[in-house]
Amino acid sequence: MIEEYEQIGISLVNIGTIAIFITFIKAKRYRNGPVKDERTIKIGAYGLSYSWLITFILISLLFWVDNFEIVMLTVKEVLAILMVTMIVTAKGIQWYLFRKGDIE
């Protein structure tokens, strides 16, 4: 039992060290802040809006899956599905829109 806590502690320290290192590198690279223009802000807003819509549809779908007892999901599983969906769709849609160009 104690060994498990030690492993968790070591993992959290490693994750924290990596996060601090990445933050330091990004801060050094963008001393004046990242470049933001109207296009970048607009694409970011559209990406997050589409991500929110997809997440809302997923919540509705999960409601019906639970209502019809198709799959029994725990709260942890539902939260994990929603968090991963939100992150992946937000970044994925923003990446797609940046490659596509301007938004109409």
Side-chain angles (χ1 to χ4, degrees), residues 11-96:
S11 298
L12 290 174
V13 168
N14 288 335
I15 291 169
T17 304
I18 292 169
I20 289 171
F21 179 73
I22 291 172
T23 303
F24 175 74
I25 296 297
K26 284 187 177 184
K28 194 171 183 178
R29 182 180 297 167
Y30 301 114
R31 287 184 186 207
N32 297 332
V35 178
K36 286 188 178 181
D37 57 355
E38 291 177 14
R39 177 182 169 267
T40 308
I41 294 170
K42 189 175 183 182
I43 286 175
Y46 270 78
L48 293 176
S49 297
Y50 283 125
S51 174
W52 181 87
L53 178 64
I54 291 169
T55 304
F56 184 71
I57 291 170
L58 179 64
I59 290 170
S60 301
L61 180 70
L62 288 173
F63 168 78
W64 288 111
V65 165
D66 181 58
N67 193 36
F68 290 125
E69 297 178 357
I70 297 171
V71 177
M72 298 302 292
L73 297 171
T74 64
V75 173
K76 287 182 182 179
E77 292 169 342
V78 170
L79 290 175
I81 290 169
L82 291 175
M83 287 188 334
V84 169
T85 301
M86 291 174 77
I87 293 168
V88 169
T89 56
K91 282 302 183 186
I93 292 170
Q94 287 176 353
W95 173 80
Y96 170 75

